[in-house]
Amino acid sequence: MTSTSGVTLVNQIGNQLNTREISESAVAMFDERGTVVAWTQAAERLVGYSAGDVVGRSVALVLPFSEGTSTISAFIERCRAQNGWWGVMPVRRREGRMIDINLRISMLWGQDGTVRWLLSVTDIGTVSGDAMNGSVREALLTRAPIGIVVRDPQLHCLWVNDTMESHDGISRDRRLGRRLTDSLPGSESEALEAVTRQALASGATAVQEYRLWPPGDPRREHAFSASFFCLQDADGKALGVCTMSVDVTESRRARERLAILSQASTRIGSTLDVMQTGQELADLAVPVLADYAVVDLAESIPCGEEPLTRFDTIGGRPPAFRRAGVASIHPGIPESPWARTEKVSFPPASPFTSVLRTGRSHLEPVLDTSPGTWLARDPARANTIHENGMHSLMIVPIRVRHFVLGVAVFIRTEDPVPFREDDLLLAEELVTRAAPSLDNARQYTRQHTTALALQRNLLPHRLKGGAAVEAASRYLPADMDAGVGGDWFDVIPLSGARVALVVGDVVGHGINAAATMGRLRTAVRTLADIDLPPDELLTRLDDTFQRLAEDDADALDETPAVVGATCLYAVYDPATRRCTMARAGHPPPAIIDPQGQVTFPDLPSGSPLGIGLGVPFEAVELELPEGSLLALYTDGLIETRDDDIDVGMQRLGTALTQPARSLEDLCTRATETLQGQAPSDDITLLLARTRSLSPTQVASWTLPHDHTTVHNARHMAARQLTEWGLESLQDPTQLIVSELVTNAILHSTGPIGLRLIHHQVLTCEVFDTNANSPRQRRASTIDENGRGLFLVAQLSRRWGSRTVSGGKVIWAEQDLNSAPSHARAGAAA
């Protein structure tokens, strides 16, 4: 006997199935000459042909029959001899793409013994990797018996197949020409006719379940699922409705089992232990659903880390998993090669990795180990399957929101009945109920590991040094399990092929330090985007840090956790090979020249951020040979409990004295010097090997301050682009040069500088003596001025300005591989 809540759950599932539209299946009709006489919207969605394209034409337009027949008539005779046809056939969609369809051709009888043929098709590519939704679609794929009736707009039966009589006991003669309510009076018939009218009016596929006592099994009520497809003529008007019915009695029984198991939610999640919760899920599935069940979680989940939205293979292998739960009807669980808590491996090319990658369940009713299957490529697993009689498999992803925690695997050994769609529905419901409990247990341990994950997410995942530097990094937290610090690093591309290098360290550990680090890194990127010099950037960053500290102090429920931070900021220009840097209480960088000589430049130390001493920061400019190595680091790399900072700096310099090595090797050498010692602080290392631009990549001119300069500047820019082979960029570049040089003449005095840089993009820079930053504005239709910067913005991928000694530089970048279209340039003009 089911409980009230279980019955409610069954009703909810039934309602969902009753209203689900089957968009992956489609039907069409053709006569004995092979001419299409009716079409559906679902068929149009599947192959791209509308009713007007195919009705009245040969069915060969859509289905090129060729298997064992030379003509359509021969194929129809073959279908008549076999009472239909079933198989897989490639079909070319209207746009030319080939798709594989699962095709069933059914014979329909009309009055006076006339015959029509019904095409039932399903796109295999749509359903092969997914659980099958809808009983009719499942029947199409498994060749289960389907009852078919075609009715006219007045709901009179025009065509019917032989299977339909086994469903409701109505003979062909008693059905043809009559409505269903005339042949089989009752509430079920009235409900089915109501859905038929709905499909006829809307043109959309509809689904309805109903119950009858079929003549083949009169002692038991059977449940049927009927799908209704509106048939259209060549004009797209409704010709009638095709009803396809499938016996879903076993599916209904599965839903009843689901209702009984709905109360089992109290058995899952009895503790806040991730591994124990996984075991409870496995115990619940055996033996009510499976003979053997396992729960495998991503290795990070028991540690409380945030789950991932997708799982990618690493070096051809999926990420590591742990067996959290395992249960079997057999003592000793001989089916499992791994015990609980052990690391589990998945074959790279298998349904396991597919489920993890897509987040969709996998149902394999019959496990096949023959050559060519995924099991044939995994002999050890195939041998285990044979030894234990495993014959049917389900793999269900354990999902919470948009995240995948792991997989639950269900296998049958002693139970001879293969898993079906309703078994998968039950398994997915169980896993859905267990997933929140697993996630709650994960979050219970999250406090110890979230800070580390937060810090890793705040740090750059890919260092982009562009034409300026090659970069690599290392970050080693002091406590992998329970705490993190506020270290951060970054490589920020700037205008003119330049790059900014930054390393910082927030005092303290834990989430507060990591959060403050994230805010400071964001602030540095924002300030870098406006091209502030290093000393001015640190001044602004100091102000930002003090405001953050004041905001934290105002929050009475917050405990102040961070009291300061250090930072080193450097800007390198590959065109001049000059590096400008400033520091705020941070250790100085190490510079290793191409011959391996190590120096630690004498930079003014500056005060740490947030101290509020008011001492101005000072910047130092150095010229670096091409191939120089810059090492920016935090004090955790050079400080130990036993040695002072000087020893640590010497040790770091020694590790980096082979600059010809790869940066990754040098990072490893520099951090391996601390092996065997427990670090007292987080370790961050950023290495950058400098590059320089060839003189042929840079063209610069000094222009007089008069109006003839604009024409000359355009001419020189066009000539230079021709030398670089960038003729496609001449027109937009000349417009950009005209506008920027004109603005310099109008708003400044003194000589004007023009520079073109050909690197990963084309950069145009104009220098003038006015230090005020330009501002783009929208000019009205009657204004004569005010459109220059708007035009520059339209013609470039990005633009901006920066303050330099004696004035400012306005710059604009263009992609090398695509010039703005004429429409875009015209719209800008």
Side-chain angles (χ1 to χ4, degrees), residues 641-661:
R641 295 183 178 91
D642 302 325
D643 301 320
D644 58 23
I645 293 179
D646 292 338
V647 175
M649 294 173 65
Q650 182 179 0
R651 182 174 58 244
L652 173 62
T654 302
L656 300 177
T657 52
Q658 300 182 30
R661 284 177 173 261

Side-chain angles (χ1 to χ4, degrees), residues 493-499 531 757 759 763 765 798 802 811 813:
L494 302 177
S495 63
R498 298 170 306 129
V499 68
D531 261 331
I757 306 174
H759 53 116
T763 302
E765 297 183 342
R798 65 175 189 145
R802 65 179 183 269
W811 54 268
E813 293 179 351

Side-chain angles (χ1 to χ4, degrees), residues 762-781:
L762 176 65
T763 302
C764 174
E765 297 183 342
V766 173
F767 165 83
D768 63 56
T769 57
N770 187 343
N772 294 326
S773 298
R775 181 175 62 88
Q776 180 181 343
R777 65 185 180 91
R778 183 173 294 277
S780 66
T781 55

Side-chain angles (χ1 to χ4, degrees), residues 460 462-465 469 471 489-493 499-502 525 686:
R462 182 181 177 187
L463 302 178
K464 299 180 180 180
V469 298
F489 60 92
D490 215 340
V491 178
I492 307 171
V499 68
L501 307 171
V502 58
R525 277 196 160 260
L686 174 63

Side-chain angles (χ1 to χ4, degrees), residues 277-288:
T277 304
Q279 183 60 45
E280 290 169 350
L281 172 58
D283 289 338
L284 182 61
V286 176
V288 66

Side-chain angles (χ1 to χ4, degrees), residues 284-511:
L284 182 61
V286 176
V288 66
L289 174 62
D291 299 327
Y292 165 61
V294 299
V295 175
D296 295 328
L297 300 177
E299 196 169 25
S300 61
I301 300 304
C303 299
E305 292 185 13
E306 193 72 23
L308 301 177
T309 55
R310 57 179 295 187
F311 286 85
D312 291 322
T313 59
I314 301 174
R317 291 186 171 274
F321 283 77
R322 293 281 176 184
R323 180 137 296 175
V326 56
S328 171
I329 61 174
H330 300 111
I333 315 180
E335 302 95 332
S336 178
W338 297 285
R340 284 190 68 212
T341 73
E342 287 186 347
K343 184 178 292 188
V344 177
S345 64
F346 292 147
S350 71
F352 295 94
T353 53
S354 175
V355 167
L356 291 171
R357 185 178 64 255
T358 64
R360 294 191 294 266
S361 301
H362 173 79
L363 170 63
E364 197 163 345
V366 178
L367 280 172
D368 186 3
T369 59
S370 60
T373 62
W374 68 274
L375 282 171
R377 295 188 294 269
D378 191 354
R381 198 178 298 264
N383 185 57
T384 300
I385 288 173
H386 285 302
E387 289 180 350
N388 295 277
M390 304 179 185
H391 63 84
S392 194
L393 167 72
M394 294 187 299
I395 307 173
V396 179
I398 304 174
R399 306 185 63 182
V400 176
R401 301 180 301 278
H402 302 295
F403 303 113
V404 179
L405 306 180
V407 295
V409 183
F410 306 92
I411 293 178
R412 280 184 176 166
T413 56
E414 299 297 332
D415 187 344
V417 179
F419 286 125
R420 299 181 57 185
E421 174 64 21
D422 281 333
D423 295 312
L424 182 62
L425 180 66
L426 175 59
E428 290 177 334
E429 176 66 19
L430 288 176
V431 172
T432 299
R433 291 173 177 274
S437 297
L438 286 166
D439 194 49
N440 289 339
R442 177 191 64 82
Q443 294 187 49
Y444 182 73
T445 57
R446 184 179 180 181
Q447 183 62 35
H448 297 291
T449 53
T450 296
L452 179 58
L454 172 64
Q455 186 169 45
R456 287 177 175 172
N457 289 332
L458 290 174
L459 294 176
H461 298 286
R462 182 181 177 187
L463 302 178
K464 299 180 180 180
V469 298
E470 174 193 2
S473 64
R474 284 289 189 277
Y475 169 70
L476 302 176
D479 189 341
M480 289 291 294
D481 298 323
V484 298
D487 284 11
W488 91 91
F489 60 92
D490 215 340
V491 178
I492 307 171
L494 302 177
S495 63
R498 298 170 306 129
V499 68
L501 307 171
V502 58
V503 166
D505 183 3
V506 175
V507 176
H509 298 277
I511 292 180

Side-chain angles (χ1 to χ4, degrees), residues 485-724:
D487 284 11
W488 91 91
F489 60 92
D490 215 340
V491 178
I492 307 171
L494 302 177
S495 63
R498 298 170 306 129
V499 68
L501 307 171
V502 58
V503 166
D505 183 3
V506 175
V507 176
H509 298 277
I511 292 180
N512 288 331
T516 302
M517 172 270 289
R519 290 188 286 180
L520 287 180
R521 177 174 178 252
T522 301
V524 169
R525 277 196 160 260
T526 302
L527 296 172
D529 283 343
I530 59 177
D531 261 331
L532 292 177
D535 52 346
E536 187 175 345
L537 182 141
L538 291 181
T539 300
R540 300 279 190 92
L541 187 63
D542 187 30
D543 294 338
T544 300
F545 190 92
Q546 292 186 52
R547 286 196 300 272
L548 292 176
E550 292 171 358
D551 292 341
D552 290 342
D554 291 338
L556 299 179
D557 57 341
E558 294 270 341
T559 301
V562 289
V563 295
T566 64
C567 182
L568 171 62
Y569 185 81
V571 174
Y572 175 70
D573 186 346
T576 62
R577 293 186 288 104
R578 302 195 70 83
C579 182
T580 306
M581 58 186 72
R583 58 178 178 142
H586 202 82
I591 300 178
I592 300 91
D593 66 19
Q595 289 72 43
Q597 296 297 317
V598 182
T599 59
F600 292 87
D602 185 15
L603 300 181
S605 62
S607 60
L609 302 173
I611 301 300
L613 297 181
V615 178
F617 298 100
E618 299 180 53
V620 172
E621 187 175 78
L622 304 172
E623 184 172 344
L624 303 177
E626 182 177 5
S628 297
L629 183 66
L630 279 83
L632 284 66
Y633 52 90
T634 56
D635 54 8
L637 183 61
I638 58 174
E639 286 185 342
T640 66
R641 295 183 178 91
D642 302 325
D643 301 320
D644 58 23
I645 293 179
D646 292 338
V647 175
M649 294 173 65
Q650 182 179 0
R651 182 174 58 244
L652 173 62
T654 302
L656 300 177
T657 52
Q658 300 182 30
R661 284 177 173 261
S662 71
L663 295 187
E664 291 295 331
D665 286 345
L666 291 175
C667 283
T668 301
R669 282 171 54 87
T671 53
E672 281 181 347
T673 58
L674 297 176
Q675 281 189 349
Q677 303 180 39
S680 58
D681 199 358
D682 303 318
I683 296 173
T684 298
L685 174 63
L686 174 63
L687 295 182
R689 180 174 288 135
T690 64
R691 298 165 174 160
S692 64
L693 296 179
S694 167
T696 60
Q697 294 179 269
V698 182
S700 58
W701 304 272
T702 300
L703 309 173
H705 192 277
D706 59 59
H707 288 283
T708 62
T709 292
V710 176
H711 173 76
N712 294 334
R714 289 169 55 92
H715 177 71
M716 290 185 292
R719 184 173 58 191
Q720 185 61 54
L721 292 186
T722 300
E723 292 182 11
W724 284 339

